Amino acid sequence: MSSDTAATHKNVTARSDRARAWLVLLLAGAFEVGYALSVGGSQGFTVLSWSLVAVVFFLLTLFALSLALRTIDVGIGYAVWAGIGAVGAALLGPVFFGETLTPVKAFWLTVIIVGVVWLKLSDSPKRTQTEQPAHP
């Protein structure tokens, strides 16, 4: 295998690993939403069923987050994970617990979502010399 082919294969593998890490981070965020909602339903860990569900989601979210942070920078990964959890819990709180979602809250949740998307975009690796298309 030539050095150009090896470098291209290495870059494809690295991109695949990053994409997989971002998918695991999204899953961790979904588990975080489940954890937040379960803690709310546990009423201070006084309702056994909700408390047990909260513990399971807690373990799942930390496990998935730790896997994602093998590839994604800790600051970026943690911010995205926390943002997904906050937005998800705020959007689903009214569904499960009769909480209110005012236009002002919706606006600030949108700001969080935009920030999370920008963080993801800022984490895209820059193209190296070996990745740039060859000129004929």
Side-chain angles (χ1 to χ4, degrees), residues 87 91 108-118:
V87 169
L91 291 176
W108 289 112
L109 289 171
T110 302
V111 170
I112 292 171
I113 293 167
V114 169
V116 164
V117 170
W118 275 351

Side-chain angles (χ1 to χ4, degrees), residues 45-131:
F45 291 100
T46 60
V47 178
L48 181 61
S49 59
W50 280 102
S51 299
L52 292 174
V53 171
V55 169
V56 169
F57 273 121
F58 176 74
L59 294 173
L60 288 171
T61 192
L62 288 184
F63 178 70
L65 178 63
S66 70
L67 291 179
L69 294 182
R70 289 180 178 177
T71 303
I72 299 169
D73 292 342
V74 172
I76 299 293
Y78 184 78
V80 169
W81 174 74
I84 292 169
V87 169
L91 291 176
L92 293 175
V95 173
F96 290 102
F97 304 117
E99 298 171 354
T100 59
L101 182 61
T102 65
V104 172
K105 288 179 186 178
F107 170 77
W108 289 112
L109 289 171
T110 302
V111 170
I112 292 171
I113 293 167
V114 169
V116 164
V117 170
W118 275 351
L119 281 171
K120 164 55 178 115
L121 294 175
S122 73
D123 190 52
S124 298
K126 301 291 183 233
R127 292 176 72 169
T128 62
Q129 287 287 59
T130 58
E131 288 183 282

